Amino acid sequence: MKIGIVGLGLIGGSLAIDFTALQQHTIIGISRRLSTCQQAIARGIVAAASPELSSLAAADVIFLCTPLEALEPTVKALVPYLSSTTILTDVGSVKGDVVRAIAPRWVNFVGGHPMAGTAEQGLDAAQSGLFVDRAYVLTPAASTPQSAIDTVATLVRSLRARVYQCDPDDHDRAVAWISHLPVIVSASLIAACMGEPDLSVLKLAQTFASSGFRDTSRVGGGNPELGLMMARYNQHELLRSLVSYRSHLDQMIQHIKSNHWQELEDTLAKTQSDRPKFL
Amino acid sequence: MKIGIVGLGLIGGSLAIDFTALQQHTIIGISRRLSTCQQAIARGIVAAASPELSSLAAADVIFLCTPLEALEPTVKALVPYLSSTTILTDVGSVKGDVVRAIAPRWVNFVGGHPMAGTAEQGLDAAQSGLFVDRAYVLTPAASTPQSAIDTVATLVRSLRARVYQCDPDDHDRAVAWISHLPVIVSASLIAACMGEPDLSVLKLAQTFASSGFRDTSRVGGGNPELGLMMARYNQHELLRSLVSYRSHLDQMIQHIKSNHWQELEDTLAKTQSDRPKFL
Protein backbone atom coordinates (compact mmCIF):
# COMPACT_ATOMS: atom_id res chain seq x y z
CA MET A 1 0.00 0.00 0.00
CA LYS A 2 1.19 3.54 -0.71
CA ILE A 3 1.00 5.43 2.60
CA GLY A 4 1.47 9.17 2.84
CA ILE A 5 2.43 10.82 6.11
CA VAL A 6 2.04 14.60 6.39
CA GLY A 7 4.10 15.92 9.30
CA LEU A 8 7.16 13.95 10.37
CA GLY A 9 7.16 14.69 14.08
CA LEU A 10 6.87 12.26 16.97
CA ILE A 11 3.66 10.60 15.76
CA GLY A 12 4.21 10.88 12.01
CA GLY A 13 7.82 9.75 12.33
CA SER A 14 6.87 6.81 14.54
CA LEU A 15 4.15 5.75 12.07
CA ALA A 16 6.76 5.92 9.28
CA ILE A 17 9.16 3.76 11.26
CA ASP A 18 6.58 1.08 12.02
CA PHE A 19 4.94 0.98 8.57
CA THR A 20 8.35 0.82 6.86
CA ALA A 21 9.40 -2.00 9.20
CA LEU A 22 6.40 -4.08 8.03
CA GLN A 23 7.99 -4.19 4.53
CA GLN A 24 4.55 -4.20 2.90
CA HIS A 25 4.12 -0.52 2.19
CA THR A 26 5.74 2.39 0.43
CA ILE A 27 5.94 5.38 2.73
CA ILE A 28 6.05 8.92 1.40
CA GLY A 29 6.72 11.63 3.94
CA ILE A 30 5.82 15.31 3.83
CA SER A 31 7.46 17.98 5.93
CA ARG A 32 7.64 21.70 5.39
CA ARG A 33 11.27 21.53 6.47
CA LEU A 34 13.64 20.12 3.91
CA SER A 35 16.07 19.14 6.67
CA THR A 36 13.39 16.93 8.25
CA CYS A 37 12.71 15.30 4.87
CA GLN A 38 16.42 14.63 4.43
CA GLN A 39 16.69 13.23 7.95
CA ALA A 40 13.73 10.87 7.36
CA ILE A 41 15.27 9.62 4.13
CA ALA A 42 18.68 9.22 5.77
CA ARG A 43 17.14 7.17 8.61
CA GLY A 44 15.50 4.94 6.00
CA ILE A 45 12.05 5.38 7.49
CA VAL A 46 10.46 6.72 4.27
CA ALA A 47 10.88 5.75 0.63
CA ALA A 48 10.71 9.44 -0.31
CA ALA A 49 10.06 12.73 1.45
CA SER A 50 9.53 16.30 0.29
CA PRO A 51 7.59 19.44 1.17
CA GLU A 52 5.36 18.92 -1.90
CA LEU A 53 1.85 17.68 -1.20
CA SER A 54 1.63 16.74 -4.90
CA SER A 55 3.95 13.81 -4.18
CA LEU A 56 1.00 12.13 -2.40
CA ALA A 57 -1.12 12.00 -5.60
CA ALA A 58 -0.82 8.20 -5.80
CA ALA A 59 -1.24 7.49 -2.06
CA ASP A 60 -3.87 4.98 -0.95
CA VAL A 61 -4.00 6.23 2.62
CA ILE A 62 -2.67 9.50 4.05
CA PHE A 63 -2.04 10.05 7.76
CA LEU A 64 -2.35 13.74 8.64
CA CYS A 65 0.09 14.25 11.52
CA THR A 66 0.24 18.04 11.63
CA PRO A 67 -0.67 20.15 14.65
CA LEU A 68 -4.45 20.51 15.05
CA GLU A 69 -4.61 24.03 13.65
CA ALA A 70 -2.93 22.94 10.41
CA LEU A 71 -5.29 20.04 9.69
CA GLU A 72 -8.00 21.88 7.79
CA PRO A 73 -5.62 24.01 5.68
CA THR A 74 -3.61 20.89 4.88
CA VAL A 75 -6.69 19.05 3.66
CA LYS A 76 -7.72 22.05 1.55
CA ALA A 77 -4.28 22.15 -0.04
CA LEU A 78 -4.11 18.39 -0.51
CA VAL A 79 -7.51 17.69 -2.06
CA PRO A 80 -6.71 18.94 -5.58
CA TYR A 81 -4.00 16.26 -5.93
CA LEU A 82 -5.99 13.27 -4.67
CA SER A 83 -7.95 10.57 -6.43
CA SER A 84 -11.40 10.14 -4.93
CA THR A 85 -10.50 6.73 -3.46
CA THR A 86 -7.68 8.07 -1.30
CA ILE A 87 -8.39 7.64 2.39
CA LEU A 88 -7.45 10.45 4.76
CA THR A 89 -7.03 9.97 8.48
CA ASP A 90 -5.64 12.30 11.13
CA VAL A 91 -3.97 11.80 14.50
CA GLY A 92 -5.31 14.85 16.34
CA SER A 93 -6.13 14.58 20.03
CA VAL A 94 -9.52 16.30 19.58
CA LYS A 95 -12.08 14.90 17.18
CA GLY A 96 -15.49 16.63 17.13
CA ASP A 97 -14.48 19.88 15.40
CA VAL A 98 -11.93 18.08 13.25
CA VAL A 99 -14.48 15.61 11.90
CA ARG A 100 -17.04 18.39 11.38
CA ALA A 101 -14.46 20.41 9.45
CA ILE A 102 -12.97 17.68 7.27
CA ALA A 103 -15.67 15.05 6.70
CA PRO A 104 -17.73 17.43 4.49
CA ARG A 105 -14.63 18.11 2.39
CA TRP A 106 -13.56 14.49 1.94
CA VAL A 107 -15.92 11.56 2.21
CA ASN A 108 -13.14 9.03 2.74
CA PHE A 109 -11.94 10.73 5.91
CA VAL A 110 -11.61 8.73 9.13
CA GLY A 111 -10.84 10.71 12.27
CA GLY A 112 -8.23 9.01 14.43
CA HIS A 113 -6.40 9.50 17.70
CA PRO A 114 -3.47 7.33 18.68
CA MET A 115 -3.25 7.64 22.46
CA ALA A 116 0.50 7.36 22.57
CA GLY A 117 3.26 9.84 23.10
CA THR A 118 6.36 10.73 25.01
CA ALA A 119 7.50 13.91 26.71
CA GLU A 120 9.67 14.57 23.64
CA GLN A 121 8.63 16.01 20.31
CA GLY A 122 9.83 15.98 16.73
CA LEU A 123 11.33 13.39 14.41
CA ASP A 124 14.28 12.87 16.78
CA ALA A 125 11.82 11.48 19.33
CA ALA A 126 10.12 9.15 16.84
CA GLN A 127 10.50 5.51 17.82
CA SER A 128 9.44 2.04 16.79
CA GLY A 129 6.63 0.35 18.69
CA LEU A 130 5.18 3.62 20.02
CA PHE A 131 1.61 2.38 19.41
CA VAL A 132 1.97 -1.17 20.71
CA ASP A 133 -0.79 -1.95 23.21
CA ARG A 134 -1.92 1.69 23.21
CA ALA A 135 -5.48 2.74 22.45
CA TYR A 136 -5.97 4.05 18.90
CA VAL A 137 -9.42 5.58 18.60
CA LEU A 138 -11.24 5.93 15.29
CA THR A 139 -14.09 8.44 15.15
CA PRO A 140 -15.84 8.16 11.78
CA ALA A 141 -18.73 10.42 10.86
CA ALA A 142 -22.13 8.92 10.07
CA SER A 143 -21.28 9.46 6.39
CA THR A 144 -17.89 7.69 6.45
CA PRO A 145 -17.82 4.57 4.23
CA GLN A 146 -17.25 1.35 6.18
CA SER A 147 -14.50 0.37 3.72
CA ALA A 148 -12.46 3.45 4.66
CA ILE A 149 -12.88 2.69 8.38
CA ASP A 150 -11.86 -0.93 7.81
CA THR A 151 -8.74 0.05 5.85
CA VAL A 152 -7.52 2.44 8.56
CA ALA A 153 -8.41 -0.04 11.33
CA THR A 154 -6.43 -2.79 9.61
CA LEU A 155 -3.39 -0.54 9.20
CA VAL A 156 -3.57 0.58 12.82
CA ARG A 157 -3.98 -3.00 14.03
CA SER A 158 -0.80 -3.88 12.16
CA LEU A 159 0.98 -1.47 14.52
CA ARG A 160 -0.32 -3.69 17.37
CA ALA A 161 -2.42 -0.83 18.74
CA ARG A 162 -5.78 -1.54 20.41
CA VAL A 163 -8.36 -0.09 18.02
CA TYR A 164 -11.53 1.52 19.40
CA GLN A 165 -14.32 3.26 17.54
CA CYS A 166 -16.64 5.88 18.98
CA ASP A 167 -18.56 9.05 18.24
CA PRO A 168 -16.24 12.08 17.82
CA ASP A 169 -17.97 14.10 20.54
CA ASP A 170 -18.00 11.18 22.97
CA HIS A 171 -14.26 10.89 22.35
CA ASP A 172 -13.74 14.55 23.19
CA ARG A 173 -15.79 14.29 26.36
CA ALA A 174 -13.89 11.20 27.47
CA VAL A 175 -10.43 12.64 26.79
CA ALA A 176 -11.42 15.90 28.51
CA TRP A 177 -11.80 13.84 31.69
CA ILE A 178 -8.70 11.70 31.56
CA SER A 179 -6.27 13.73 29.50
CA HIS A 180 -7.13 17.44 29.31
CA LEU A 181 -8.61 18.06 32.78
CA PRO A 182 -5.56 16.49 34.47
CA VAL A 183 -3.31 19.03 32.71
CA ILE A 184 -5.19 22.01 34.16
CA VAL A 185 -5.59 20.36 37.59
CA SER A 186 -1.90 19.58 37.68
CA ALA A 187 -0.69 22.94 36.33
CA SER A 188 -2.85 24.73 38.92
CA LEU A 189 -1.05 22.74 41.61
CA ILE A 190 2.34 24.00 40.47
CA ALA A 191 1.04 27.56 40.13
CA ALA A 192 -0.52 27.48 43.61
CA CYS A 193 2.63 26.13 45.26
CA MET A 194 4.73 28.81 43.58
CA GLY A 195 2.33 31.37 45.04
CA GLU A 196 3.53 30.70 48.61
CA PRO A 197 4.51 34.18 49.79
CA ASP A 198 7.02 33.05 52.46
CA LEU A 199 10.11 32.29 50.41
CA SER A 200 11.71 30.16 53.12
CA VAL A 201 8.58 27.97 53.20
CA LEU A 202 8.60 27.79 49.40
CA LYS A 203 12.22 26.66 49.54
CA LEU A 204 11.30 23.97 52.10
CA ALA A 205 8.42 22.82 49.90
CA GLN A 206 10.77 22.56 46.92
CA THR A 207 13.27 20.62 49.03
CA PHE A 208 10.74 18.21 50.51
CA ALA A 209 8.76 17.53 47.32
CA SER A 210 8.99 13.89 46.37
CA SER A 211 7.05 11.27 44.42
CA GLY A 212 3.57 12.51 45.39
CA PHE A 213 4.22 16.01 44.11
CA ARG A 214 6.27 14.73 41.18
CA ASP A 215 3.47 12.51 39.89
CA THR A 216 0.61 14.93 40.54
CA SER A 217 2.47 17.80 38.85
CA ARG A 218 3.88 15.89 35.87
CA VAL A 219 1.33 16.68 33.17
CA GLY A 220 0.97 20.26 34.43
CA GLY A 221 4.67 20.78 33.79
CA GLY A 222 4.46 19.50 30.22
CA ASN A 223 4.61 21.24 26.87
CA PRO A 224 2.54 24.46 27.13
CA GLU A 225 1.68 24.41 23.41
CA LEU A 226 0.01 21.02 23.77
CA GLY A 227 -1.92 22.25 26.80
CA LEU A 228 -3.01 25.33 24.90
CA MET A 229 -4.10 23.33 21.84
CA MET A 230 -6.18 20.92 23.87
CA ALA A 231 -7.89 23.84 25.66
CA ARG A 232 -8.60 25.68 22.41
CA TYR A 233 -9.83 22.70 20.46
CA ASN A 234 -11.69 20.95 23.27
CA GLN A 235 -12.77 24.14 25.04
CA HIS A 236 -16.40 23.17 25.60
CA GLU A 237 -15.77 19.71 27.04
CA LEU A 238 -12.76 20.86 29.06
CA LEU A 239 -14.81 23.65 30.66
CA ARG A 240 -17.59 21.20 31.41
CA SER A 241 -15.15 18.87 33.19
CA LEU A 242 -13.50 21.79 35.01
CA VAL A 243 -16.81 23.04 36.38
CA SER A 244 -17.58 19.57 37.69
CA TYR A 245 -14.05 19.24 39.08
CA ARG A 246 -14.34 22.52 40.94
CA SER A 247 -17.59 21.45 42.53
CA HIS A 248 -16.01 18.20 43.76
CA LEU A 249 -13.04 20.20 45.05
CA ASP A 250 -15.39 22.59 46.84
CA GLN A 251 -17.11 19.65 48.49
CA MET A 252 -13.75 18.36 49.75
CA ILE A 253 -12.89 21.82 51.06
CA GLN A 254 -16.25 21.98 52.79
CA HIS A 255 -15.70 18.60 54.45
CA ILE A 256 -12.29 19.68 55.72
CA LYS A 257 -13.44 23.13 56.82
CA SER A 258 -16.45 21.71 58.69
CA ASN A 259 -14.63 18.80 60.36
CA HIS A 260 -16.81 16.39 58.39
CA TRP A 261 -14.20 13.69 58.80
CA GLN A 262 -16.46 10.74 58.13
CA GLU A 263 -17.63 12.30 54.85
CA LEU A 264 -14.03 13.04 53.87
CA GLU A 265 -12.93 9.49 54.67
CA ASP A 266 -15.89 8.09 52.73
CA THR A 267 -14.98 10.24 49.73
CA LEU A 268 -11.33 9.17 49.87
CA ALA A 269 -12.33 5.53 50.30
CA LYS A 270 -14.47 5.85 47.18
CA THR A 271 -11.70 7.47 45.12
CA GLN A 272 -9.35 4.70 46.27
CA SER A 273 -11.78 2.01 45.11
CA ASP A 274 -12.72 3.88 41.90
CA ARG A 275 -9.20 4.59 40.63
CA PRO A 276 -8.44 1.02 39.49
CA LYS A 277 -11.40 1.27 37.08
CA PHE A 278 -9.25 3.63 35.00
CA LEU A 279 -6.09 1.50 35.00
CA MET B 1 22.85 2.79 72.12
CA LYS B 2 19.58 1.36 73.38
CA ILE B 3 16.90 2.39 70.90
CA GLY B 4 13.19 1.93 71.55
CA ILE B 5 10.70 1.84 68.71
CA VAL B 6 7.00 2.21 69.55
CA GLY B 7 4.87 0.99 66.68
CA LEU B 8 6.30 -1.67 64.37
CA GLY B 9 4.62 -0.68 61.12
CA LEU B 10 6.22 0.42 57.87
CA ILE B 11 8.30 3.23 59.39
CA GLY B 12 8.99 1.69 62.79
CA GLY B 13 9.81 -1.68 61.25
CA SER B 14 12.12 -0.11 58.66
CA LEU B 15 13.93 1.86 61.39
CA ALA B 16 14.35 -1.39 63.33
CA ILE B 17 15.79 -3.15 60.28
CA ASP B 18 18.31 -0.40 59.55
CA PHE B 19 19.39 0.26 63.15
CA THR B 20 19.81 -3.46 63.78
CA ALA B 21 21.87 -3.80 60.59
CA LEU B 22 24.33 -1.18 61.90
CA GLN B 23 25.27 -3.65 64.70
CA GLN B 24 25.87 -0.77 67.11
CA HIS B 25 22.54 -0.61 68.86
CA THR B 26 20.14 -2.70 70.86
CA ILE B 27 16.64 -2.33 69.47
CA ILE B 28 13.57 -2.87 71.63
CA GLY B 29 10.25 -2.88 69.80
CA ILE B 30 6.79 -2.13 71.14
CA SER B 31 3.58 -3.20 69.47
CA ARG B 32 0.13 -3.60 70.91
CA ARG B 33 -0.21 -6.80 68.94
CA LEU B 34 1.70 -9.74 70.30
CA SER B 35 1.80 -11.33 66.84
CA THR B 36 3.65 -8.27 65.49
CA CYS B 37 6.15 -8.51 68.37
CA GLN B 38 6.70 -12.17 67.61
CA GLN B 39 7.12 -11.46 63.91
CA ALA B 40 9.71 -8.72 64.61
CA ILE B 41 11.68 -11.06 66.87
CA ALA B 42 11.45 -13.91 64.36
CA ARG B 43 12.76 -11.62 61.57
CA GLY B 44 15.68 -10.68 63.83
CA ILE B 45 15.04 -6.97 63.46
CA VAL B 46 14.70 -6.30 67.20
CA ALA B 47 16.55 -7.65 70.23
CA ALA B 48 13.27 -7.80 72.12
CA ALA B 49 9.66 -6.78 71.57
CA SER B 50 6.58 -6.66 73.72
CA PRO B 51 3.41 -4.64 74.25
CA GLU B 52 4.82 -3.31 77.53
CA LEU B 53 6.05 0.32 77.46
CA SER B 54 7.92 -0.44 80.71
CA SER B 55 10.43 -2.43 78.65
CA LEU B 56 11.74 0.92 77.33
CA ALA B 57 12.82 2.11 80.80
CA ALA B 58 16.51 1.87 79.89
CA ALA B 59 16.25 3.28 76.36
CA ASP B 60 18.51 6.17 75.33
CA VAL B 61 16.36 7.21 72.39
CA ILE B 62 12.79 6.23 71.60
CA PHE B 63 11.24 6.59 68.14
CA LEU B 64 7.48 7.06 68.39
CA CYS B 65 6.10 5.46 65.22
CA THR B 66 2.42 5.25 66.09
CA PRO B 67 -0.37 6.89 64.09
CA LEU B 68 -0.63 10.63 64.79
CA GLU B 69 -3.64 10.34 67.07
CA ALA B 70 -1.84 7.86 69.34
CA LEU B 71 1.28 10.03 69.87
CA GLU B 72 0.13 12.10 72.82
CA PRO B 73 -1.49 9.19 74.72
CA THR B 74 1.64 7.11 74.10
CA VAL B 75 3.90 9.80 75.55
CA LYS B 76 1.62 10.17 78.57
CA ALA B 77 1.75 6.43 79.18
CA LEU B 78 5.49 6.23 78.55
CA VAL B 79 6.75 9.11 80.69
CA PRO B 80 6.41 7.37 84.09
CA TYR B 81 8.95 4.73 82.99
CA LEU B 82 11.61 7.04 81.55
CA SER B 83 14.76 8.51 82.98
CA SER B 84 14.97 12.25 82.33
CA THR B 85 17.82 11.85 79.84
CA THR B 86 15.82 9.67 77.48
CA ILE B 87 15.30 11.35 74.13
CA LEU B 88 11.91 11.01 72.44
CA THR B 89 11.39 11.60 68.74
CA ASP B 90 8.37 10.92 66.55
CA VAL B 91 7.88 10.21 62.85
CA GLY B 92 4.52 11.92 62.33
CA SER B 93 3.85 13.69 59.04
CA VAL B 94 2.49 16.80 60.80
CA LYS B 95 4.59 18.66 63.32
CA GLY B 96 3.13 21.90 64.73
CA ASP B 97 0.40 20.41 66.92
CA VAL B 98 2.57 17.40 67.77
CA VAL B 99 5.44 19.55 69.03
CA ARG B 100 3.03 21.83 70.91
CA ALA B 101 1.46 18.78 72.57
CA ILE B 102 4.58 16.83 73.48
CA ALA B 103 7.42 19.34 74.01
CA PRO B 104 5.81 20.70 77.22
CA ARG B 105 5.53 17.13 78.53
CA TRP B 106 9.09 16.06 77.72
CA VAL B 107 11.95 18.48 77.29
CA ASN B 108 14.12 15.97 75.40
CA PHE B 109 11.59 15.64 72.60
CA VAL B 110 12.65 16.22 69.00
CA GLY B 111 9.87 16.25 66.42
CA GLY B 112 10.80 14.37 63.27
CA HIS B 113 9.36 13.47 59.88
CA PRO B 114 11.05 10.93 57.63
CA MET B 115 9.73 11.71 54.15
CA ALA B 116 9.79 8.13 53.01
CA GLY B 117 7.11 5.58 52.46
CA THR B 118 5.58 3.08 50.13
CA ALA B 119 2.01 2.37 49.11
CA GLU B 120 2.08 -0.54 51.55
CA GLN B 121 1.65 -0.46 55.31
CA GLY B 122 2.55 -2.58 58.30
CA LEU B 123 5.56 -4.59 59.37
CA ASP B 124 5.28 -6.79 56.27
CA ALA B 125 6.07 -3.71 54.17
CA ALA B 126 9.09 -2.68 56.30
CA GLN B 127 12.30 -2.74 54.32
CA SER B 128 15.98 -1.92 54.62
CA GLY B 129 17.24 1.32 53.13
CA LEU B 130 13.82 3.02 53.14
CA PHE B 131 15.37 6.32 54.30
CA VAL B 132 18.43 6.39 52.06
CA ASP B 133 18.66 9.75 50.25
CA ARG B 134 15.22 10.76 51.52
CA ALA B 135 14.59 13.97 53.43
CA TYR B 136 14.27 13.47 57.20
CA VAL B 137 13.07 16.69 58.80
CA LEU B 138 13.70 17.55 62.46
CA THR B 139 11.47 20.21 63.98
CA PRO B 140 12.72 21.00 67.50
CA ALA B 141 10.93 23.51 69.70
CA ALA B 142 12.77 26.61 70.93
CA SER B 143 13.17 24.79 74.25
CA THR B 144 14.68 21.59 72.84
CA PRO B 145 18.28 20.99 74.05
CA GLN B 146 20.83 21.01 71.24
CA SER B 147 22.29 17.74 72.53
CA ALA B 148 18.96 15.97 71.95
CA ILE B 149 18.73 17.37 68.41
CA ASP B 150 22.31 16.30 67.70
CA THR B 151 21.72 12.77 68.96
CA VAL B 152 18.65 12.26 66.78
CA ALA B 153 20.35 13.89 63.78
CA THR B 154 23.35 11.58 64.14
CA LEU B 155 21.13 8.50 64.31
CA VAL B 156 19.11 9.62 61.30
CA ARG B 157 22.25 10.40 59.31
CA SER B 158 23.45 6.86 60.00
CA LEU B 159 20.40 5.72 57.98
CA ARG B 160 21.85 7.78 55.10
CA ALA B 161 18.85 10.11 55.13
CA ARG B 162 19.26 13.80 54.27
CA VAL B 163 18.63 15.63 57.54
CA TYR B 164 16.87 19.00 57.53
CA GLN B 165 15.83 21.16 60.44
CA CYS B 166 13.06 23.73 60.43
CA ASP B 167 10.29 25.31 62.46
CA PRO B 168 7.38 22.89 63.03
CA ASP B 169 4.79 25.26 61.52
CA ASP B 170 6.97 25.98 58.50
CA HIS B 171 7.23 22.23 58.03
CA ASP B 172 3.46 21.88 58.10
CA ARG B 173 2.96 24.70 55.64
CA ALA B 174 5.56 23.24 53.26
CA VAL B 175 4.16 19.69 53.37
CA ALA B 176 0.63 21.04 52.92
CA TRP B 177 1.77 22.28 49.50
CA ILE B 178 3.72 19.31 48.26
CA SER B 179 2.19 16.38 50.07
CA HIS B 180 -1.30 17.08 51.47
CA LEU B 181 -2.73 19.44 48.83
CA PRO B 182 -1.83 16.97 46.03
CA VAL B 183 -3.93 14.28 47.74
CA ILE B 184 -7.08 16.42 47.69
CA VAL B 185 -6.38 17.76 44.18
CA SER B 186 -5.86 14.24 42.93
CA ALA B 187 -8.80 12.66 44.76
CA SER B 188 -11.09 15.41 43.40
CA LEU B 189 -9.98 14.43 39.89
CA ILE B 190 -11.08 10.83 40.41
CA ALA B 191 -14.35 11.93 42.02
CA ALA B 192 -15.10 14.37 39.17
CA CYS B 193 -14.40 11.81 36.45
CA MET B 194 -16.65 9.28 38.18
CA GLY B 195 -19.37 11.94 38.12
CA GLU B 196 -19.74 11.75 34.32
CA PRO B 197 -23.46 11.06 33.91
CA ASP B 198 -23.21 9.39 30.47
CA LEU B 199 -22.12 5.87 31.35
CA SER B 200 -20.87 5.11 27.85
CA VAL B 201 -18.60 8.18 28.00
CA LEU B 202 -17.43 7.14 31.49
CA LYS B 203 -16.58 3.72 30.07
CA LEU B 204 -14.60 5.34 27.23
CA ALA B 205 -12.76 7.54 29.73
CA GLN B 206 -11.84 4.49 31.80
CA THR B 207 -10.68 2.68 28.67
CA PHE B 208 -8.61 5.58 27.33
CA ALA B 209 -6.99 6.62 30.62
CA SER B 210 -3.24 6.23 30.45
CA SER B 211 -0.11 7.63 32.09
CA GLY B 212 -1.39 11.21 32.44
CA PHE B 213 -4.45 10.17 34.38
CA ARG B 214 -2.56 7.42 36.20
CA ASP B 215 0.07 9.83 37.56
CA THR B 216 -2.27 12.69 38.36
CA SER B 217 -4.69 10.40 40.20
CA ARG B 218 -2.14 8.27 42.07
CA VAL B 219 -2.06 9.98 45.47
CA GLY B 220 -5.81 10.61 45.35
CA GLY B 221 -6.33 6.86 45.09
CA GLY B 222 -4.16 6.13 48.11
CA ASN B 223 -4.95 5.04 51.65
CA PRO B 224 -8.02 7.05 52.82
CA GLU B 225 -6.93 6.86 56.47
CA LEU B 226 -3.67 8.63 55.67
CA GLY B 227 -5.55 11.30 53.71
CA LEU B 228 -7.96 11.76 56.58
CA MET B 229 -5.16 12.03 59.17
CA MET B 230 -3.26 14.66 57.20
CA ALA B 231 -6.46 16.71 56.78
CA ARG B 232 -7.34 16.47 60.48
CA TYR B 233 -3.87 17.19 61.77
CA ASN B 234 -2.84 19.77 59.20
CA GLN B 235 -6.30 21.22 58.72
CA HIS B 236 -5.35 24.89 58.88
CA GLU B 237 -2.44 24.74 56.44
CA LEU B 238 -4.23 22.37 54.10
CA LEU B 239 -7.24 24.71 53.92
CA ARG B 240 -4.92 27.64 53.28
CA SER B 241 -3.27 25.81 50.38
CA LEU B 242 -6.66 24.65 49.05
CA VAL B 243 -8.05 28.17 48.97
CA SER B 244 -5.01 29.35 47.03
CA TYR B 245 -5.24 26.33 44.73
CA ARG B 246 -8.87 27.04 43.97
CA SER B 247 -8.11 30.62 43.06
CA HIS B 248 -5.38 29.49 40.64
CA LEU B 249 -7.79 26.94 39.20
CA ASP B 250 -10.45 29.63 38.80
CA GLN B 251 -7.97 31.80 36.95
CA MET B 252 -7.23 28.95 34.55
CA ILE B 253 -10.97 28.38 34.03
CA GLN B 254 -11.40 32.10 33.36
CA HIS B 255 -8.60 32.08 30.76
CA ILE B 256 -10.17 29.10 28.98
CA LYS B 257 -13.73 30.46 29.18
CA SER B 258 -12.67 33.88 27.86
CA ASN B 259 -10.42 32.63 25.05
CA HIS B 260 -7.46 34.25 26.81
CA TRP B 261 -5.12 31.90 25.01
CA GLN B 262 -1.99 33.96 25.44
CA GLU B 263 -2.53 34.17 29.21
CA LEU B 264 -3.19 30.43 29.36
CA GLU B 265 -0.05 29.65 27.39
CA ASP B 266 1.99 32.00 29.58
CA THR B 267 0.65 30.27 32.70
CA LEU B 268 1.45 26.82 31.31
CA ALA B 269 4.89 27.97 30.21
CA LYS B 270 5.53 29.18 33.75
CA THR B 271 4.37 25.92 35.35
CA GLN B 272 6.60 24.05 32.92
CA SER B 273 9.63 26.11 33.92
CA ASP B 274 8.73 26.10 37.65
CA ARG B 275 8.18 22.36 38.09
CA PRO B 276 11.89 21.39 37.98
CA LYS B 277 12.45 23.59 41.05
CA PHE B 278 10.60 20.91 43.05
CA LEU B 279 12.43 17.89 41.64
Side-chain angles (χ1 to χ4, degrees), chain A residues 115 134-135 137 162 164 166 170-171 173-175 177-178 181-198 200-202 204-225 227-228 231-232 235 238-246 248-250 252-253 256-259 261 264-265 267-272 274-275 277-279, chain B residues 115 134-135 137 162 164 166 170-171 173-175 177-178 181-198 200-202 204-225 227-228 231-232 235 238-246 248-250 252-253 256-259 261 264-265 267-272 274-275 277-279:
Chain A
M115 303 195 68
R134 309 303 296 266
V137 191
R162 292 183 283 113
Y164 295 93
C166 69
D170 284 352
H171 166 277
R173 186 162 284 193
V175 297
W177 285 120
I178 52 87
L181 173 62
V183 170
I184 303 300
V185 161
S186 174
S188 299
L189 174 65
I190 301 170
C193 290
M194 289 299 294
E196 166 61 49
D198 183 332
S200 67
V201 170
L202 177 59
L204 285 175
Q206 292 173 344
T207 303
F208 297 160
S210 65
S211 61
F213 182 85
R214 186 172 64 235
D215 284 0
T216 318
S217 68
R218 186 176 66 80
V219 298
N223 185 337
E225 289 164 41
L228 177 66
R232 286 184 73 152
Q235 183 180 25
L238 177 58
L239 280 172
R240 177 177 170 276
S241 71
L242 275 164
V243 167
S244 163
Y245 176 79
R246 187 173 51 181
H248 283 274
L249 182 75
D250 281 343
M252 293 269 208
I253 292 173
I256 297 169
K257 194 180 274 176
S258 314
N259 302 313
W261 304 125
L264 180 65
E265 189 173 9
T267 304
L268 294 175
K270 188 162 179 345
T271 59
Q272 183 185 40
D274 281 337
R275 181 171 178 262
K277 297 172 186 163
F278 294 81
L279 303 180
Chain B
M115 303 192 70
R134 309 304 294 268
V137 191
R162 293 183 282 113
Y164 296 93
C166 70
D170 284 354
H171 166 278
R173 187 163 283 194
V175 298
W177 286 121
I178 52 88
L181 174 62
V183 171
I184 304 298
V185 162
S186 175
S188 300
L189 174 64
I190 301 170
C193 290
M194 288 299 294
E196 166 61 49
D198 183 332
S200 67
V201 170
L202 177 60
L204 286 175
Q206 292 173 344
T207 303
F208 297 161
S210 66
S211 61
F213 182 85
R214 188 172 60 234
D215 285 0
T216 317
S217 68
R218 186 176 66 80
V219 297
N223 184 336
E225 288 163 43
L228 177 65
R232 286 185 74 151
Q235 184 180 25
L238 176 57
L239 280 172
R240 177 177 170 274
S241 71
L242 275 164
V243 167
S244 164
Y245 176 80
R246 187 174 49 184
H248 283 273
L249 182 74
D250 282 344
M252 293 269 207
I253 292 173
I256 297 169
K257 196 179 274 178
S258 313
N259 302 313
W261 304 125
L264 180 65
E265 189 173 10
T267 304
L268 294 175
K270 187 159 179 347
T271 59
Q272 183 185 42
D274 282 337
R275 181 170 177 262
K277 297 171 187 165
F278 293 82
L279 303 180

Side-chain angles (χ1 to χ4, degrees), chain A residues 45-65:
Chain A
I45 66 174
V46 293
S50 85
E52 301 299 332
L53 290 171
S54 59
S55 64
L56 298 182
D60 301 301
V61 178
I62 298 173
F63 284 79
L64 305 163
C65 306

Side-chain angles (χ1 to χ4, degrees), chain B residues 84-111:
Chain B
S84 65
T85 56
T86 304
I87 296 168
L88 296 184
T89 185
D90 78 311
V91 300
S93 57
V94 175
K95 300 267 62 87
D97 287 350
V98 167
V99 172
R100 273 185 288 277
I102 301 182
R105 294 185 180 278
W106 198 254
V107 65
N108 278 315
F109 172 71
V110 183

